[in-house]
Amino acid sequence: MKLPGQDAIARQADEHLVTHRVKLPRKLVEHPIRQVGKRLSLALVVLLATAVIVYADHDGYTDNSDGTVDLLDAFYYATVTLSTTGYGDITPVSDAARLTNIFVITPLRVLFLIILVGTTLEALTERTREEWRLNRWRSTLRDHTVVVGFGTKGRSAIATVCATGLRKEQVVVVDPSGKAIDAATAHGFAGVVGDATRSDVLNRAEVFRAKQIIIATQRDDTAVLVTLTARQLNRAAKIVVAVREEENAPLLKQSGADAVITSASAAGRLLGLSVLSPAAGMVMEDLISQGSGLDLVERPVIKAEVGKSPRETEDLVVSVLRGHRVLGYDDPAVGTLELTDRLITIVRASPATQVAPDARPLPRD
């Protein structure tokens, strides 16, 4: 008989077991059943070869029971010999049979043991290898990007930052769903299964050493809690958050977000723009699709551009980042470009124009 609440307690225990688990990208290996099948087939081939060799020279062997060695006796001898059991009831008596045992059957016995023992050892050492990979991954992970949530928004954000040159090894996904993390690891990203509002889960993702944190949760209240926790663990990282409701944006910025993207209103504005001008809508969609067509790129000012106005540069400058201010290209405060400025430009997407995302946090209101 189950007590009231017993199922709930069991579910909580199961959730606790999967919490904090780190999954690294899968290596391209064969399915375990296929590997075992191949090794078993090879072991049977070795057994068959040994039996054939013994039967071919059956006159050089003696059986203590009847003195002769038939095909069944050959298979029996091969089995007990390869397994190192060796009952001694069938023995080689001729010089040729003994030489065959030394130079042929003994190497086959070693090969047979390597196949069987190797399969067992591989199963036993799999966990040790995984722990070694995990420890090595932790020791080398620096200035990476943590993405909380592997839904549509999270996957799109990862695709965008990877299009600018960020390596997959530098992306860690955090999601409470094991299936989502399996999908992330299948794409080559490391993943952490757990609730990102908990500091111990974010610590598993090495968030305190992260360069950028992208928060793309399904709920706005969850996004607030994750932002507070992430900012507490890492004061220097750039935190970008996606929310559904625009009224929650100020709360996210107070919680420590450097930039807040309102997904619902942004999609609505793009819809409205597409109604008013389908061509303008296409251009905007092209700009937010990194790696194809036109791209928005942030880059530093080069020496040849110092002293010029934004309109005199070769690229189409949209804004100028000066200190903690973001100025429009036509803002009188810009004047001429300085070496410490950074430019937001529109460029034609190509491998040469891909730049890694900037690490400097955007100004907070």
Side-chain angles (χ1 to χ4, degrees):
M1 178 182 295
K2 290 187 178 181
L3 298 176
Q6 189 171 354
D7 291 337
I9 294 175
R11 284 195 299 270
Q12 291 177 359
D14 292 339
E15 291 175 358
H16 180 71
L17 288 175
V18 299
T19 303
H20 321 317
R21 188 172 56 193
V22 178
K23 292 185 177 181
L24 297 182
R26 302 189 189 101
K27 290 186 175 181
L28 296 177
V29 295
E30 288 185 308
H31 193 279
I33 295 179
R34 184 176 298 177
Q35 292 184 22
V36 173
K38 283 187 175 181
R39 296 188 181 192
L40 181 59
S41 300
L42 184 57
L44 292 176
V45 169
V46 173
L47 177 63
L48 178 62
T50 304
V52 170
I53 292 172
V54 173
Y55 184 71
D57 191 26
H58 63 277
D59 293 336
Y61 293 82
T62 182
D63 187 351
N64 293 336
S65 61
D66 56 12
T68 60
V69 176
D70 55 16
L71 183 61
L72 178 60
D73 292 333
F75 274 97
Y76 169 75
Y77 177 80
T79 303
V80 297
T81 299
L82 293 181
S83 62
T84 67
T85 304
Y87 293 114
D89 48 352
I90 299 178
T91 56
V93 292
S94 69
D95 292 341
R98 289 177 177 177
L99 288 173
T100 302
N101 266 263
I102 294 173
F103 295 107
V104 179
I105 295 181
T106 297
L108 288 176
R109 182 188 300 118
V110 174
L111 177 61
F112 186 83
L113 293 177
I114 288 175
I115 294 170
L116 297 185
V117 175
T119 303
T120 305
L121 288 178
E122 182 173 359
L124 293 175
T125 58
E126 180 64 30
R127 184 169 181 175
T128 303
R129 271 204 313 269
E130 193 64 23
E131 288 292 333
W132 181 83
R133 286 187 64 206
L134 184 58
N135 292 332
R136 184 174 179 273
W137 171 76
R138 290 188 186 282
S139 64
T140 57
L141 195 62
R142 296 288 189 282
D143 295 332
H144 56 289
T145 298
V146 176
V147 180
V148 179
F150 199 65
T152 303
K153 293 180 290 187
R155 289 195 297 268
S156 298
I158 292 175
T160 300
V161 295
C162 287
T164 62
L166 186 69
R167 293 180 292 110
K168 290 185 176 181
E169 295 81 3
Q170 288 296 103
V171 176
V172 182
V173 178
V174 181
D175 198 287
S177 170
K179 291 183 178 179
I181 295 302
D182 288 339
T185 55
H187 284 81
F189 309 114
V192 178
V193 182
D195 183 1
T197 61
R198 298 169 58 97
S199 58
D200 51 348
V201 173
L202 290 181
N203 280 329
R204 290 275 181 170
E206 307 292 315
V207 75
F208 52 89
R209 295 189 297 200
K211 184 178 182 180
Q212 301 158 136
I213 303 172
I214 300 173
I215 300 174
T217 57
Q218 298 296 325
R219 295 168 53 95
D220 289 2
D221 54 352
T222 304
V224 173
L225 293 175
V226 175
T227 303
L228 285 169
T229 307
R231 181 54 72 194
Q232 182 182 14
L233 296 174
N234 191 328
R235 298 288 181 182
K238 178 192 292 184
I239 300 180
V240 180
V241 189
V243 294
R244 293 179 179 271
E245 303 297 333
E246 194 166 1
E247 62 184 14
N248 295 323
L251 179 60
L252 263 300
K253 290 192 176 181
Q254 291 177 7
S255 301
D258 295 300
V260 180
I261 308 301
T262 309
S263 56
S265 61
R269 286 191 289 268
L270 185 57
L271 285 172
L273 179 62
S274 298
V275 168
L276 297 174
S277 173
M282 290 176 60
V283 172
M284 285 301 301
E285 188 174 358
D286 186 12
L287 286 174
I288 62 178
S289 299
Q290 193 75 19
S292 62
L294 299 176
D295 278 351
L296 276 173
V297 173
E298 178 182 338
R299 66 170 181 84
V301 172
I302 61 177
K303 291 183 178 180
E305 297 171 335
V306 175
K308 295 182 179 180
S309 69
R311 295 185 179 183
E312 293 176 327
T313 62
E314 294 184 1
D315 295 335
L316 180 58
V317 177
V318 178
S319 298
V320 178
L321 277 66
R322 178 168 295 170
H324 295 284
R325 295 181 299 168
V326 180
L327 306 173
Y329 71 96
D330 57 348
D331 194 320
V334 174
T336 58
L337 297 177
E338 301 175 2
L339 190 59
T340 55
D341 291 341
R342 297 184 68 84
L343 304 179
I344 305 296
T345 64
I346 296 178
V347 298
R348 175 66 61 182
S350 66
T353 61
Q354 291 184 354
V355 245
D358 186 27
R360 293 178 55 189
L362 297 176
R364 300 179 191 166
D365 294 340

